[in-house]
Amino acid sequence: MADDTLNDVLIDRLRSFLSKPNENLDGIRSAAARLHSRCASQVKYRSPALSQLTSLNATQLIIKLLMQLSGKESQISDMLLYELVWIIAQLSQKDSKFSVKVRLTGSARTFHNILRLHYNNPKLLYPLLIVFKSLSRNVTTSTVLVKDGIVSTMEKVIVSIGYSPSPKLRLSLNVMHSLTRSKLCCTKMAKEDFVPLLLRIFERWERYNGKMRLRILTYTIITLKHLSNTKIGRKAIKSSNGLNLLYKFCVLCPNDRTYDSLLPRVASIIGTCMDKKVLPIDTTGPVLFSLPVLKTENSDTSDNTTGSGMRTSSSRETTPSADGSVAESFDNNDDDDDDASDKTQESDAGHGPYAIPPPILRDMDDLCQYAAFFQENVVTSNQEARTFEEKCIPRAKSYQEFGTHGCDSLGEHRDYWLINDRDGLRSDSYLGSCHLQHQEPSNDENSFWQKEVERRLNNYMRTVRSHSSCSCYDVYKREMTWKASSDPAMNSNLQNSLHMMGLTILSDIPKHSSVHYAYCAIASKVNTVYPVVKVAYPDMVGGDGSGQLYPLHIKDRKVCRAKLMTSVERAVHPHLLLDRVVYDLDGLIQQDAIAKGNDSGEKHLYNIDERRVGHRDLLKHHLLFESRFESGNLRKVVQIGLHEYELILLPDVNSVKHHQWFYFEVSNMEANVTYTFNIVNCEKQNSQFNYGMKPIMYSVIEAKEGRPGWVRAGSDICYYRNNYQNLHGRSRSWYLTTSFSMTFPHDNDVCYIAYHFPYPYSLLMTQIWKWSLSVDPSLIYFRTDCLCYSLNNNETPLLTITSPDMESNRIKDREVVFLTARVHPGESNASWVMHGTIQYLLSNAPAAIMVRNKFVFKIVPMLNMEGVINGCHRCGLSDEDLNRRWSRPNQYLHPVIYHSKGLIEYCARIMNKAPFMFCDYHGHSRRKNVFLYGCCNAGSWNQVDRSNSDDPVDYLMLPYLMQHFSKAFNLQACNFRVERMREATARVTIWREFGVKRSYTMESSFCGCDQGFYQGYHLDTIHLKEIGANFCEAMACLKDEGGWKADITPEEAARLAGLTSKEQLDESPPMSEISDNSDFSSDEDFH
C-alpha cells in the first residue's frame, strides 16, 4: 500500500474510534503504533509523513483522543499514552499552528495534567517536554499554563532529572526560558524558590562539556535575565548569592568565540541587579529654549515651560504667513522616540484600515508670498527686473562689486569633477578622456536596464563630446551675444542675477576677505542656545577630510571582552575609580551667565589654536576638553583612570534623549600615550562602531605642517551596554558605551574628535559666500535668498541654480527640481553630499551644463540649522523629528519645513508645474554604502494605492543610473515601500500630496562600503562630494525622458513591473525591521 494511502487509512480508523474511544482501545493502540513508527522512522520518510498528517488534521484528532482517554473514567495504558504523546510531540515540531489548536481545543491543562502525573516517568518525560517546548513559545498558552501551576511542576521535573547534563535537562531549561518571558511566571518562580534551583544548575556549568554546556548555559542565563527584569526576581537572585556566581562566571569564562554572546548577558544581569546607578548630571539639559506660545481652542498658553532655576534662551520671531495666522494647532502629544513617533504617525494615518488623512491645502493668496523665490520665471527685461526687485527683494549687489579675487573654490579642484572610471579614483582629464566602464548585470532580469542605461549613457557621452569640441561655453556665449546685441540693457540685467542681499549674514563681508575672516565673521552673527567661546579650527579652514581611503576597523573580540569585564569590575568595585571631573559644561554655563550679567554686546569669535600648540598647562596633569563652539557636543568629562575618561554627551535642546553626535576638542596631551575615551550615554542598541567604523580626528599641528584634514583614527573600538540606567528610556533600560583609544602624534597638540565630518551652519554660509563670488552670471544663474527665519532667528538659505534665460530655452519652461538636506542635524554626511551637488552644478562640466539647461534647482541645503548649530543629533529646538512634520507642519514651530513645503505647493498649484524630482539627503547609521528610498503604488501600505498602477521606469531609472555613475551606490539596498509609519516624511508627503513620481531619500553611510569599488573602506569628504556630483550626472541622463520612455515595449514594461513588485518589494525588508530605535536611524527612518 502506498505511504500516502496508508496514512489516510490510519487517520480514518482513528477518527472512527473517536466517538467511543474506551471501547476501542486495542484498535487505537494498533493505529497509533503504526503512525508513531512512521513518524519516528527513517529521515527520508519522516518529514513527508508529518507534513501529510498535519494536512489531514491529525493534530486535532490526536489531541481530542488524548482529552477523552485522559478523563477520570478512562483507564488508558502507559503504552497507549506513550504512543499518542510521541505522535503529538512529532507533530508539534512540524505544525506551525500547534499552540493555536491546543488553545482552541482547551487542551493545555490536559497536557499539564499528564505531565503532573508522569513527571518521574523517564519514558514519557522526553516527548512531553517537546510538547511543552512548543506550547511555551505561545504567549496565550504559556499564560494558561502558568496560572495552572506549571512552575511548581517544572521544579519537580528538574529535581527528578538531576543536575547532570542531559537532553531532558536542556529541554526543561528551554521551556523555562520561554515561560519566563511572562512577568507572572517570573513572580511565581521567585515566590516558589525556583531561583536557587536555577543557580545551582548554573554553578555547575564547568562540569558540562561540548554543545550541551553551551545550550544549558544559554537557557539558564536567559531565564535569569528575564527574572532580573522584575523587582522580586532581582531580590531573589541577590538573596541566593547569584551576583557572586555570575561574577565568578565572568572571571572564569573560557576565552572562546562561542561564549562571546553569553558574557554581555551575564554582565547585563549583574548591572541590573546592582543598586541603581545614574549619570552624574541633571536630568534636563543645561539650557532650555522657550518655544513660541501658541493659542489653541482649549488654552491660551503653551505647555512648553521651563524648569525653575534654569537659564532660558529667548525665542525669536519667525517668518509669518501672508495673513499672519497660525496654520494649525500644534500637537503636543507627538513623541520623538522613534518607536513612539511611528505609532503616532500610524494613528494619524486615518481611522479606517485604508484611510489617508486629507492634505491641508493653504490659501492661494497665502501661497503668493513665494512668488519672490521664483523671480527667475518673470524677469524678462531689465525694466521688469528693476520693478520686481523694488517690490519683492532688497537691492542686489552686482557681480563686479563682489569681484572674483581670491575665490578659487572650483579652480583648486577642477579636475575632481570628472566622470570616474572603474579602475581609479578619478580620470586625468574630463574633456579629453570621458569614459565609463559599465558593471555587468547580476542576472537576466536586468537586461532591459542594461540596454536602456547603456543607450542613454552613449547619448550622454556624445553630448559631452559635442560640448567639448566647442569648448563647452560656445553654445551659451553664442546665444548670450545674440541676446546682448538685440537688447543692449541685457548685460546690466545679467549682472544683477545674483541676489545675495537675501542673506543679511553675508551682506557686510568685504569681497577680498580671507576665508578665515569670513568664517569668523559669519559665526559671530549666528544665534545659539548654548554659549560659544570660539570657532573650531577644522571648520574655519574648510572642514575637509584628508582625501585618503581608510580601511574599516577590524573588531578585536579580545579587546571587547576585556572592556566588558572592566565594566563589570567597576560595577562591582566602584571605589577603584579615580572619579575626577575635568570638564563640566553645566558649571561653565552658570559661570558664564554670572560673568556676563546683563551684557548684551556683540560677540566676536575667533580661533588661536595655532598659537596654543606647543604650550602645556603645568598645573593640569590631565587632558583638557572644550566643546563650546558651533556643532560641539560634550557635557561632562570624568577622569576614571590615569589615561582613561568617561564622556557624557548633551541631549538635543529641550530634550532628555537623542545622544549620538559628538564633537569636542582635546589638548594638553602627551605624544605616543594611549588615551581611552568612553562615551557612556549612547542610546541605540547597536552601532556601526561594532562593524568597522572609526571616529575622526583633526590635528592642528598636522595642519600647520601641511597635512590638513580629518583622519579616521582610534583603536580598540567597541560598543556595549554599561551600568548607567537610562531614566528616560523604557522601563529598566540602560545606556550603552562607545569606547575607543587614541594615540596622539604630537605633544601639546590641539586635536578635535568627532562622530563624523562636521559641517556646521557657518561653514555652509561661508561656502555660499565663496560660491557667490566665483560664479559668472553670464553662464550660470545663481541666486541666494532667505527662505525664512528659524526659531532662534537664524536665516534659512535657499539657493536657485539654473542656466541664464535664453530665447531658445526660457527659464519658465524648464522643469523644477527640489533638493533638501540635513533635516537631522547629526547627519553631517548629508551636507557633504549636498556640497558636492551644489559645487558640481556650479562647475563647467558638460553634465552640469546639461542639467542647468534642463532644470531649475531649488535647494534648501540645511533644513534644521538650529539642531546643527547647537550640536543636536535628531531634533531641532522643539524636540521633534522634523522629518515627521512634513504632512502638517506648524508655521511657528516648524518654520523651515512649513515654508519649504510652501515652495513646493506654490510650484504645484500656482505655477501648475509639479516638481520633476524631489530628493532629501540623509545619513544612515546602521547600513553601509549609498542607496535611495523611493515611492511606488505597488509597495504602499494603502490598498487604494496598490489598486492604481504606476510606471516603474519613473522611479527606478535614477537608481539604476546612480549604480553606473557612483562607485559607492548599492542598488540592492534601495527600497520603494510606502509604509504607514512614514506618511509624514518628506519623501512620502511630496509623493502623495503633489504627485511627484520621483520623490526620494538618498542615504549615505556614516561608515563606508561593503561592496563595489570602495568595499572595506570608509567614505571621506571627497567621496561624499563625489556622490553629490554623481547624482547630477545621473540626472543629466534623465533629461530626454520622452524619448526613452517611448522606446519601452509592453513586454519590457510588464517584466519591469514584475521585477519591482517581486524582487524589490518582497525581498527588501521594510524599514521597521532594521530600525533599532528607527535613529533607524536615519535615517529618514531612525538612523
Side-chain angles (χ1 to χ4, degrees), residues 916-934:
F916 177 83
M917 179 186 295
F918 171 85
C919 190
D920 189 19
Y921 292 10
H922 281 251
H924 211 290
S925 64
R926 297 183 311 283
R927 284 186 173 181
K928 293 182 172 65
N929 312 305
V930 179
F931 48 93
L932 285 166
Y933 294 140

Side-chain angles (χ1 to χ4, degrees), residues 291-323:
L291 296 173
V293 178
L294 303 182
K295 292 185 178 181
T296 64
E297 296 179 357
N298 298 325
S299 64
D300 294 329
T301 59
S302 171
D303 292 334
N304 296 290
T305 58
T306 59
S308 60
M310 300 296 296
R311 177 180 178 269
T312 303
S313 177
S314 62
S315 170
R316 306 297 183 95
E317 183 179 279
T318 60
T319 302
S321 65
D323 58 5

Side-chain angles (χ1 to χ4, degrees), residues 892-939:
Y892 296 108
L893 292 175
H894 326 114
V896 183
I897 304 300
Y898 179 84
H899 291 293
S900 297
K901 185 180 180 182
L903 279 178
I904 300 175
E905 189 171 353
Y906 175 87
C907 183
R909 297 178 60 203
I910 303 297
M911 296 172 57
N912 294 318
K913 183 192 293 184
F916 177 83
M917 179 186 295
F918 171 85
C919 190
D920 189 19
Y921 292 10
H922 281 251
H924 211 290
S925 64
R926 297 183 311 283
R927 284 186 173 181
K928 293 182 172 65
N929 312 305
V930 179
F931 48 93
L932 285 166
Y933 294 140
C935 301
C936 71
N937 287 337

Side-chain angles (χ1 to χ4, degrees), residues 453-466:
V453 171
E454 286 181 354
R455 182 182 73 80
R456 298 178 62 193
L457 289 173
N458 290 333
N459 293 340
Y460 166 76
M461 299 312 302
R462 282 197 295 271
T463 306
V464 169
R465 294 190 183 98
S466 67

Side-chain angles (χ1 to χ4, degrees), residues 573-836:
H573 308 293
H575 60 279
L576 298 178
L577 298 178
L578 185 58
D579 200 24
R580 176 194 297 159
V581 177
V582 298
Y583 180 78
D584 184 9
L585 180 63
D586 297 49
L588 291 173
I589 290 176
Q590 293 179 3
Q591 294 175 14
D592 182 68
I594 295 173
K596 286 187 176 181
N598 296 323
D599 182 19
S600 59
E602 293 185 3
K603 60 182 179 182
H604 299 282
L605 301 178
Y606 51 89
N607 183 282
I608 57 171
D609 287 349
E610 291 187 356
R611 281 182 270 169
R612 291 173 56 203
V613 297
H615 300 281
R616 185 172 186 83
D617 189 337
L618 299 178
L619 299 179
K620 304 285 179 65
H621 302 289
H622 54 76
L623 293 178
L624 301 180
F625 294 83
E626 182 59 86
S627 67
R628 290 175 293 170
F629 46 80
E630 194 174 325
S631 292
N633 189 315
L634 184 63
R635 185 173 186 178
K636 194 168 189 176
V637 180
V638 180
Q639 185 179 14
I640 60 174
L642 183 61
H643 298 118
E644 187 170 3
Y645 299 84
E646 280 191 353
L647 283 64
I648 301 173
L649 303 180
L650 280 166
D652 287 359
V653 177
N654 285 357
S655 177
V656 292
K657 52 188 176 182
H658 306 301
H659 307 89
Q660 179 170 311
W661 170 261
F662 57 85
Y663 183 20
F664 55 89
E665 171 202 298
V666 180
S667 59
N668 215 43
M669 71 280 290
E670 299 178 32
N672 301 319
V673 173
T674 300
Y675 295 90
T676 300
F677 301 93
N678 303 316
I679 301 174
V680 296
N681 62 332
C682 301
E683 293 172 317
K684 293 199 171 186
Q685 296 306 304
N686 213 334
S687 169
Q688 280 293 313
F689 283 121
N690 270 338
Y691 303 100
M693 180 175 164
K694 289 185 175 183
I696 58 173
M697 187 266 289
Y698 194 106
S699 166
V700 174
I701 290 181
E702 288 288 301
K704 286 184 64 178
E705 294 179 353
R707 297 180 296 275
W710 290 98
V711 298
R712 294 283 178 174
S715 59
D716 298 346
I717 302 169
C718 57
Y719 189 83
Y720 56 91
R721 207 204 83 164
N722 58 43
N723 299 307
Y724 287 110
Q725 186 175 357
N726 183 358
L727 300 177
H728 307 287
R730 286 171 289 184
S731 177
R732 301 295 297 183
S733 62
W734 277 259
Y735 287 111
L736 294 98
T737 295
T738 297
S739 179
F740 55 88
S741 299
M742 281 197 179
T743 303
F744 300 102
H746 304 284
D747 279 322
N748 305 316
D749 195 358
V750 177
C751 294
Y752 293 80
I753 299 173
Y755 179 79
H756 195 70
F757 305 102
Y759 200 104
Y761 175 75
S762 296
L763 179 58
L764 170 65
M765 303 305 281
T766 304
Q767 290 295 340
I768 291 175
W769 176 76
K770 291 170 62 178
W771 288 326
S772 300
L773 297 179
S774 63
V775 168
D776 184 352
S778 66
L779 301 173
I780 302 173
Y781 184 97
F782 177 62
R783 191 180 75 251
T784 61
D785 296 292
C786 175
L787 175 62
C788 64
Y789 284 85
S790 66
L791 285 174
N792 203 21
N793 206 33
N794 290 300
E795 294 175 296
T796 303
L798 169 68
L799 310 183
T800 302
I801 302 175
T802 187
S803 295
D805 197 41
M806 295 179 285
E807 190 70 27
S808 61
N809 182 16
R810 307 310 298 265
I811 291 179
K812 64 184 179 65
D813 297 327
R814 299 172 192 168
E815 300 277 6
V816 181
V817 173
F818 280 87
L819 303 177
T820 60
R822 210 65 184 278
V823 70
H824 297 142
E827 297 168 8
S828 59
N829 44 354
S831 283
W832 285 106
V833 176
M834 180 61 77
H835 181 115

Side-chain angles (χ1 to χ4, degrees), residues 830-849:
S831 283
W832 285 106
V833 176
M834 180 61 77
H835 181 115
T837 295
I838 298 171
Q839 188 167 335
Y840 188 83
L841 289 174
L842 298 176
S843 72
N844 305 328
I849 296 173

Side-chain angles (χ1 to χ4, degrees), residues 923-1027:
H924 211 290
S925 64
R926 297 183 311 283
R927 284 186 173 181
K928 293 182 172 65
N929 312 305
V930 179
F931 48 93
L932 285 166
Y933 294 140
C935 301
C936 71
N937 287 337
S940 174
W941 65 272
N942 186 268
Q943 186 175 357
V944 177
D945 293 336
R946 295 195 300 271
S947 64
N948 297 321
S949 61
D950 51 12
D951 190 348
V953 179
D954 289 330
Y955 53 84
L956 287 179
M957 182 56 77
L958 181 69
Y960 271 84
L961 289 168
M962 278 294 292
Q963 186 186 32
H964 283 261
F965 280 107
S966 176
K967 300 173 184 177
F969 193 81
N970 182 11
L971 182 64
Q972 284 67 39
C974 295
N975 194 299
F976 301 93
R977 291 180 181 271
V978 179
E979 296 181 281
R980 190 170 184 174
M981 65 181 66
R982 312 293 178 203
E983 279 292 328
T985 61
R987 167 178 61 95
V988 180
T989 298
I990 302 305
W991 170 77
R992 184 176 299 287
E993 295 188 12
F994 304 113
V996 179
K997 298 175 290 186
R998 303 170 192 84
S999 183
Y1000 300 105
T1001 296
M1002 183 160 67
E1003 301 276 2
S1004 55
S1005 174
F1006 284 105
C1007 183
C1009 297
D1010 58 9
Q1011 57 87 46
F1013 182 82
Y1014 297 128
Q1015 181 177 2
Y1017 290 92
H1018 288 91
L1019 291 174
D1020 198 81
T1021 57
I1022 190 172
H1023 309 123
L1024 295 171
K1025 290 189 286 187
E1026 179 186 72
I1027 293 162

Side-chain angles (χ1 to χ4, degrees), residues 96-164:
S96 60
K97 301 287 184 67
F98 177 73
S99 295
V100 176
K101 293 173 182 178
V102 169
R103 177 170 57 86
L104 293 176
T105 56
S107 56
R109 289 184 174 86
T110 300
F111 284 109
H112 182 207
N113 189 51
I114 295 174
L115 179 63
R116 189 186 290 118
L117 295 174
H118 301 278
Y119 71 88
N120 55 358
N121 185 334
K123 197 173 182 181
L124 263 177
L125 183 57
Y126 188 77
L128 280 171
L129 289 173
I130 293 176
V131 173
F132 278 90
K133 173 185 171 184
S134 299
L135 293 177
S136 62
R137 292 176 179 175
N138 183 275
V139 177
T140 305
T141 53
S142 63
T143 303
V144 172
L145 291 171
V146 170
K147 291 180 178 179
D148 198 43
I150 189 66
V151 173
S152 59
T153 304
M154 289 302 301
E155 182 180 6
K156 295 177 182 178
V157 168
I158 293 176
V159 170
S160 68
I161 294 172
Y163 303 125
S164 300

